[in-house]
Amino acid sequence: MHQEYTRREMLRRMGTAAAAAGACWAGSPLLGSTGPTAPVAVASCKTYSRAELVVTLNRMFDQLGGLKKLVNGKTVAIKINMTGSPTYRAGYLPLGDTHYTNPHVIAAAVHLMGRAGARRIRVVESAWSSGYPLQETMYQADWNPREIQSAASDVEFENTDFLGQGKKYWRFDVPFGGHLFPAYMLNHSYRDCDVFVSIAKLKEHATTGITLSMKNCFGMTPASIYGSGAGIDEPNENPKGGRYMLHTGYRQPSKIAPPEKNPNSPRQGGYRVPRAVVDLVAARPIDLQIVDGIMSIAGAEGPWNRRVAPVNPGVLIAGTNPVATDAVCVAVMGYDPMADRGTAPFETADSMLRLAEAVGLGTRRLDRIEIVGKRISDVVFNYAAHHRRRVAQVKSRTGVEVPLG
């Protein structure tokens, strides 16, 4: 099951630069040049047909060194992205064609992991404001969870927004001490696995600029402890609301969790959320990242933002280092992964890529990342241009200026 890492092993996994830096990690320009890197596979994929997905993903996994050596005989947890209530839609499009991870991508990945010898596969997500089984949220989203469950021999589901099927929450310490919290209390599913996979959507984000494989892990935090309706002394096992305390710091989590390190730090989401993401990715490392950019939305992370527009980039991206993978994703979206606050897409946020690089989780420098398969120039899709066109369309139709930032 879950491997127990010693401090020495965890620091080795995070890169020797972070260990050497010690308490002086913050903002060091040297760490990014020595952080770990790994190949990133990029592929064109135009449809969600099972045949195209299985062939394309299988080729990408082979380009990364093969799936069998990662999952054979192992328990795999797959964190998907079902952000927001399933009642939110971009027009009348299926949620998997806009802001949710597409279920056919999930099913294809599950199938290939089962074929590669995975002993057990658990699909996990913190369903929005819900203590119901994850399958119920899937049904509400017009998905058929049986498609995913039948893709391999032993597939489970878990809603990680609360205690779920576990007997207790597990503490995940942040190896470098943490930006916001020294540790996070999470559902047992993130501990009871040998391999952790993040299947995300290729999207922008109103608060953090981007939401990719790392930001997907923000949803690991249970609303029972970190949500608006979280209990004060004990978790609320009927979770309600979003994770606004992590966004704004207006209150502390349930007392089962460690309190915030610095209550006087900025209360702005563009400061707090990227740091929480880096904390979480350091505490629960992602072994494999898959980013669905076949169909998506531009402008923000979900249709509750007025400025979103459906897009069809036609691309899949996968890797084994989340910083490198997300850096390539940012470049595919037409942005510079070296950008930071004040420059698109990070107009009002600190770059989580820069923060992750600074603690030794990986590199965002494209010249240090081996890209296999398609070149970035072959598949680049200018999200910013689509965003600007959407703003212009809304203004011409309604006379309303939709903000870009």
Side-chain angles (χ1 to χ4, degrees), residues 51 65 113 145 152 243-244 247 318 335 350 359 367 373 390:
M113 289 174 191
R243 299 166 183 82
Y244 300 119
H247 279 258
Y335 295 114
D350 295 326
V359 297
D367 62 355
R390 173 64 173 164

Side-chain angles (χ1 to χ4, degrees), residues 131 158-167 169 187-188 224 237:
E158 178 101 39
N159 178 359
T160 59
D161 213 28
F162 66 122
L163 190 60
Q165 301 174 50
K167 295 181 179 180
Y169 293 96
N187 179 281
H188 72 102
S224 58
E237 295 306 325

Side-chain angles (χ1 to χ4, degrees), residues 91-107:
Y92 297 101
L93 293 172
L95 277 67
D97 291 355
T98 56
H99 60 295
Y100 277 19
T101 310
N102 191 280
H104 302 309
V105 173
I106 302 166

Side-chain angles (χ1 to χ4, degrees), residues 315-378:
V315 63
L316 286 170
I317 300 151
T320 57
N321 180 282
V323 187
T325 299
D326 285 5
V328 172
C329 288
V330 169
V332 169
M333 296 168 77
Y335 295 114
D336 179 5
M338 298 301 291
D340 208 338
R341 183 185 280 265
T343 301
F346 307 111
E347 290 94 336
T348 60
D350 295 326
S351 166
M352 68 183 74
L353 295 177
R354 189 258 300 169
L355 293 169
E357 184 180 66
V359 297
L361 292 180
T363 183
R364 58 181 170 150
R365 285 177 45 181
L366 295 179
D367 62 355
R368 293 197 59 237
I369 302 168
E370 179 189 0
I371 298 170
V372 294
K374 293 288 186 180
R375 296 173 299 181
I376 290 175
S377 59
D378 294 332

